[in-house]
Structures are given as structure tokens and as C-alpha cells.
Amino acid sequence: MGNHPARSVVRGAGIVRPVTRADLDKQPHEVAEMFDGVAHRYDLTNTVISFGQDRGWRRATRAALGLRPGERVLDVGAGTGVSTEELGRSGAFAVGADISVGMLRAGRRVRAEVPLLAGDALRLPFADATFDAVTISFALRNVVDTGAALREFARVVRPGGRLVVCEFSHPVNGAFRTVYLQYLMRSLPAVARAVASNPEAYVYLAESIRAWPDQQGLATRIAEAGPWDRVGWRNLTGGIVALHRATRV
């Protein structure tokens, strides 16, 4: 199910105490350490627990950005760079940034050609208006200050540039939502225990997905953060995931 955290993008680590609902304040060092610990089998685990849907979500994100050859796009919370690699298939120059050194190391071992840099979502190491577009997939809910991150994304994007947020959301069908939440809270951690290098991290991830706002709630956050305009979204997989899109004023 592709998930990323950090000190702004909080990810997790080695062996730390299990992260529970009480820890959803996303203390940077704890989450960053937690995701360092899942880096080794991160991509495989995401594919297994999403039943292979993660590949389609990445393709949909690339399409929503409308990238053209020669444009520059920043992939925040890129983790191992699998999403950055997908963006590069558009012909655009795609750069990934993540706060988890462990995730970046894992990505560089298998994707040496993908530019991956260490970077905090709240203090990106790029000049103003560097990029034509910015995206973040399955990581915004793990940023300690959502509004500040959205403003930082706007800083590094040129006026008229695009934002796409790919994030877990709320299934629109009530019956399906009930079944999904049961899977999320009961089955997902069990599946993760079979394939993940640090399955306790997925307990936190399940809780963070359940606590995240719905589609309209995230659209409101983006609009209020500014300077983003023309905010809209479309659901993927019945609303398990939503793509939010906005344009830099």
C-alpha cells in the first residue's frame, strides 16, 4: 500500500517500540527510524498488501501531473524511488527527496540512475520556483505540519505549476468502507508480519490511514494552505486512494 513518513516525511526504523494510535503526533525521529527499518522489503510489502494496486496508483499519479518531456518534477517522500522512476517515464526530469536515509540507500542500490536526495518536506533543499510540478504519494499524512509542507511545495514550484497528492482516503461506498476498515485494522498487520522487515510499522500506518481526513477534508486543507488554486480530486479503487490536484497561483 505504498506508505511513507519522516521528520516531515516521517518514516520508520530499526527496532523501535511499536507505534500505536497514541503516537499519531508523528514524532520525527521515531517515525524516521521506523521506516529505515522497513526499507529492505518495502516495495515488495507494498505490492503484497495492496494486492498489486500500487503500480496502477503510480501510473495514475504520473498521468494526473500531465508531465511533458523536459519539465522538472519533484517527488517528495520518494522512499526507494519507485514512484520517481515511474514519473521519469514521462520524459520529464524527475527528482526524488526523502528524509529516510535507509529508504534512499535501498533505492540507490536498485535504481542507481534515479536522482534521490535527502530532504525534509518542511525544508526542501531547492531554490524557489525550481520545478514545474511537485507530487507526494502516501506520505503527506505522515508530515508533522501538513499546511507548512503544502506551502513549502508551493515555494519550489513555479507559478502555474502543478501539485498532485496521492494519498489513502475514504471509500465512498458504506458497505465497502466497513470491509476495508476491517482489512486495514486486522488483516493488514497480519499480512505485513509475513513479508515486512519491521511489521510493527504497519500497525502505525493502518492507524494513520484511518485517522486521515476524507477527500473533501484534504481538498480544504490544500486550498487553505495556499497558494494553491483549482483544487479537485478523483477517487481510485473506490476511494481507497484519492488523487488531489491543484495549480500554483
Side-chain angles (χ1 to χ4, degrees):
M1 273 183 178
N3 294 282
H4 317 350
R7 179 172 43 171
S8 306
V9 178
V10 275
R11 204 164 330 260
I15 301 300
V16 296
R17 62 185 175 80
V19 184
T20 65
R21 189 175 184 82
D23 298 299
L24 292 180
D25 57 352
K26 298 180 282 288
Q27 292 299 315
H29 64 283
E30 291 182 356
V31 189
E33 286 175 357
M34 180 181 64
F35 276 89
D36 284 344
V38 300
H40 176 57
R41 306 185 73 182
Y42 183 74
D43 293 337
L44 171 64
T45 303
N46 287 339
T47 297
V48 171
I49 64 179
S50 71
F51 301 101
Q53 294 294 308
D54 58 323
R55 299 184 183 98
W57 297 336
R58 287 193 292 272
R59 290 193 296 269
T61 300
R62 173 168 57 85
L65 283 161
L67 297 168
R68 295 180 290 274
E71 287 193 315
R72 291 173 294 185
V73 57
L74 174 62
D75 184 20
V76 182
T80 64
V82 64
S83 54
T84 316
E85 183 177 49
E86 178 64 42
L87 296 176
R89 294 192 173 102
S90 66
F93 177 68
V95 177
D98 199 280
I99 200 169
S100 168
V101 174
M103 296 292 276
L104 294 170
R105 285 174 178 161
R108 287 167 182 155
R109 282 196 295 269
V110 295
R111 300 181 184 89
E113 76 287 355
V114 176
L116 295 174
L117 306 175
D120 187 327
L122 298 182
R123 292 178 294 277
L124 293 168
F126 304 103
D128 296 357
T130 297
F131 296 94
D132 299 288
V134 61
T135 185
I136 181 168
S137 295
F138 307 111
L140 186 60
R141 74 181 186 284
N142 299 307
V143 175
V144 68
D145 188 334
T146 303
L150 290 165
R151 289 188 290 274
E152 178 69 351
F153 298 167
R155 181 187 67 78
V156 299
V157 172
R158 64 169 176 79
R162 292 95 68 197
L163 166 71
V164 170
V165 176
C166 180
E167 187 54 89
F168 289 109
S169 196
H170 293 218
V172 293
N173 178 278
F176 177 50
R177 182 165 57 248
T178 298
V179 172
Y180 169 68
L181 287 174
Q182 289 177 344
Y183 166 74
L184 192 66
M185 304 313 301
R186 298 177 185 176
S187 301
L188 185 150
V191 173
R193 273 191 285 277
V195 294
S197 52
N198 183 18
E200 289 80 8
Y202 287 84
V203 176
Y204 160 78
L205 293 173
E207 291 282 4
S208 70
I209 292 168
R210 185 169 67 173
W212 188 244
D214 64 10
Q215 290 86 330
Q216 181 60 64
L218 179 53
T220 299
R221 287 193 185 189
I222 295 171
E224 290 178 344
W228 298 107
D229 194 14
R230 298 165 58 189
V231 181
W233 75 84
R234 95 179 157 90
N235 292 314
L236 303 177
T237 320
I240 287 178
V241 168
L243 288 178
H244 283 71
R245 193 178 190 279
T247 301
R248 170 74 158 85
V249 176

